[in-house]
Amino acid sequence: SNDQNKDKTSKDFNQSTMKLLSIISLVSVPYSAAITKNLKGADNNKNFDDVDCSLHIGEQHDNSDGRHRRMVSANLLPERCEESEIVSVDIPHDGTKRAFKKVKSKSRKQKEEENNKNKSFGYWYGEDGTDGSTFNYVQDEDGNIHGSLIDISSHSVMQFSVEDGIPTVTITDSSDFRPEIDPPNEDEDIEDRNLLSDTTLESTVGVHQPGRSYLRMKNSPLKKQNQDQQGSRALYDDSGANLDVMVVWTKKAECKNYGLAEDCTLSDQTKAAMEAKINLAIDETNTAFALSGANTQLYLAHLYRHSTFVETSITESLNALRNGEISGTEQNRATYGADIVAMILDDANFCGQAFLGPRIDKMYSVTAWNCAT
């Protein structure tokens, strides 16, 4: 029936837009229920000219690679809009204007008071009560922005970013996202997937792990230094309430994320754009957890660009990451006490792949840069 087809389409759309969850080893969250619940939307009779915080999607921008890009005018001053009750998005090419009412926000000041690792970026999330569409974004004090609008009515995802210095939105139909690769097929007892406070990679039975000495060990020589750096944030806790994530990305991903060729000259601007994307991935995943009633949160323990690794394929990169073959990743995981190691890279065929955790030697994922949010 038409109603059944409509329900199926809505379900498929919501699932496909949650590709960012590959960053946390294929954790599944019932996000559909959260965004299709009865919502109190923004006042849709409000004059958009009176809204202080807004985005205006304008003319088409470089579509040479076949992606639908448009230029964006942003009126989102950090000091004024980090806690704004309403953010509007004007989409003239589609004949629509949307008003998103704040559901959740966290200013840079609030994050700093919490000693949050990603305190440089304020976060804002809102919903449009007319159809359950959502919009969220992060922004630093310099105006570097990364955002995502899930348009339920048009079945599209709008990814806002800065490309080569130009505020840009990339518009993708939900059915056009590349597929994810299933987790590697490994024969093992599912009951063996435990994450315990005394677990180290040396004590994991039956798993060959070349090149690893210790991870998250209580006697790690870097533990006290790490705790001092993080202040009140308690690392080395495996209750599941906090999942510490270390994100490493490649040069190709950083260049492509900024709208440049894969062999571009790196700069503070290309780095800032990648850091904005990663911060959005963390914040919007935590929002999905909260709205779904999942009692856990991601904590960004560390993020950095790898200086030498060049990706070939999703699966080969995932295996190299897990096997300790990418220099420095295991040492950094130990230093920063990360439960999860997530790599962001460039891939033309797939969105990502991850092992099925939560065993500590399986908490690795790789995600294509344009599928991470």
Side-chain angles (χ1 to χ4, degrees):
S1 68
N2 290 335
D3 289 341
Q4 289 175 330
N5 291 334
K6 182 178 180 181
D7 290 342
K8 182 179 184 300
T9 300
S10 176
K11 179 180 179 182
D12 291 343
F13 171 70
N14 288 328
Q15 289 176 341
S16 66
T17 59
M18 290 304 294
K19 292 182 181 298
L20 64 99
L21 290 174
S22 63
I23 204 171
I24 54 169
S25 298
L26 302 183
V27 175
S28 177
V29 176
Y31 189 61
S32 301
I35 65 174
T36 56
K37 63 183 180 180
N38 292 326
L39 302 171
K40 292 183 179 180
D43 182 358
N44 293 292
N45 294 319
K46 186 176 180 67
N47 187 336
F48 275 74
D49 294 335
D50 296 334
V51 178
D52 291 329
C53 302
S54 61
L55 292 168
H56 177 88
I57 298 177
E59 298 178 355
Q60 284 200 336
H61 181 49
D62 180 18
N63 298 326
S64 57
D65 59 358
R67 305 175 74 202
H68 182 185
R69 288 188 181 88
R70 289 183 176 270
M71 299 176 69
V72 176
S73 298
N75 181 27
L76 293 173
L77 294 178
E79 297 79 8
R80 186 177 64 195
C81 297
E82 283 186 342
E83 299 183 15
S84 175
E85 287 300 315
I86 294 177
V87 171
S88 71
V89 181
D90 186 10
I91 316 172
H93 72 274
D94 203 25
T96 59
K97 295 182 178 180
R98 288 190 174 277
F100 294 91
K101 184 174 182 179
K102 182 178 73 173
V103 174
K104 177 183 178 182
S105 69
K106 188 164 286 189
S107 67
R108 286 172 290 121
K109 182 179 179 180
Q110 288 174 305
K111 288 187 174 184
E112 186 173 0
E113 291 172 349
E114 296 174 356
N115 199 29
N116 196 309
K117 185 75 174 179
N118 54 343
K119 62 186 177 183
S120 298
F121 290 87
Y123 175 70
W124 192 96
Y125 168 82
E127 298 169 337
D128 182 346
T130 60
D131 64 356
S133 293
T134 65
F135 172 65
N136 66 160
Y137 74 95
V138 295
Q139 188 179 38
D140 65 11
E141 63 180 354
D142 297 321
N144 293 303
I145 185 173
H146 206 93
S148 178
L149 192 161
I150 299 175
D151 192 318
I152 297 296
S153 295
S154 68
H155 289 198
S156 63
V157 178
M158 302 183 186
Q159 296 168 304
F160 297 85
S161 61
V162 176
E163 292 191 354
D164 199 11
I166 301 173
T168 304
V169 61
T170 302
I171 305 171
T172 308
D173 188 274
S174 63
S175 62
D176 290 338
F177 279 96
R178 298 190 297 273
E180 294 176 348
I181 306 175
D182 289 336
N185 184 20
E186 297 185 330
D187 294 328
E188 61 181 63
D189 186 349
I190 195 169
E191 294 181 357
D192 198 30
R193 295 194 181 114
N194 297 311
L195 207 60
L196 304 175
S197 58
D198 292 329
T199 299
T200 71
L201 290 183
E202 290 178 336
S203 66
T204 305
V205 178
V207 179
H208 176 59
Q209 299 162 65
R212 292 189 172 118
S213 56
Y214 63 86
L215 276 178
R216 297 168 56 85
M217 294 175 63
K218 288 188 174 182
N219 61 349
S220 166
L222 295 166
K223 178 180 178 182
K224 186 176 188 307
Q225 174 188 338
N226 193 31
Q227 288 178 328
D228 291 343
Q229 291 173 342
Q230 305 304 338
S232 60
R233 171 67 182 93
L235 296 177
Y236 301 87
D237 59 331
D238 290 314
S239 66
N242 300 294
L243 297 174
D244 302 301
V245 183
M246 183 181 80
V247 183
V248 55
W249 71 87
T250 66
K251 175 182 177 178
K252 287 171 65 175
E254 181 172 328
C255 289
K256 298 290 283 292
N257 179 62
Y258 199 61
L260 301 176
E262 64 182 40
D263 60 347
C264 76
T265 299
L266 299 174
S267 66
D268 291 342
Q269 289 72 34
T270 61
K271 180 181 179 183
M274 182 59 77
E275 290 179 344
K277 176 184 286 290
I278 293 168
N279 276 271
L280 178 63
I282 296 293
D283 278 328
E284 67 181 7
T285 302
N286 284 338
T287 295
F289 284 157
L291 295 179
S292 302
N295 187 26
T296 191
Q297 290 281 282
L298 298 186
Y299 179 80
L300 184 57
H302 186 51
L303 73 168
Y304 70 103
R305 179 203 317 120
H306 198 277
S307 60
T308 60
F309 180 73
V310 178
E311 60 268 46
T312 52
S313 72
I314 289 281
T315 298
E316 288 181 2
S317 298
L318 177 63
N319 288 330
L321 187 64
R322 185 207 174 185
N323 293 334
E325 297 169 0
I326 301 178
S327 63
T329 54
E330 291 305 297
Q331 177 66 20
N332 283 331
R333 188 186 187 190
T335 298
Y336 294 96
D339 297 307
I340 301 164
V341 180
M343 171 171 276
I344 296 181
L345 43 64
D346 179 51
D347 189 86
N349 300 309
F350 298 98
C351 264
Q353 187 181 27
F355 289 97
L356 191 62
R359 218 173 66 186
I360 195 169
D361 60 296
K362 297 293 183 78
M363 302 296 278
Y364 296 90
S365 72
V366 293
T367 305
W369 61 270
N370 52 346
C371 297
T373 62

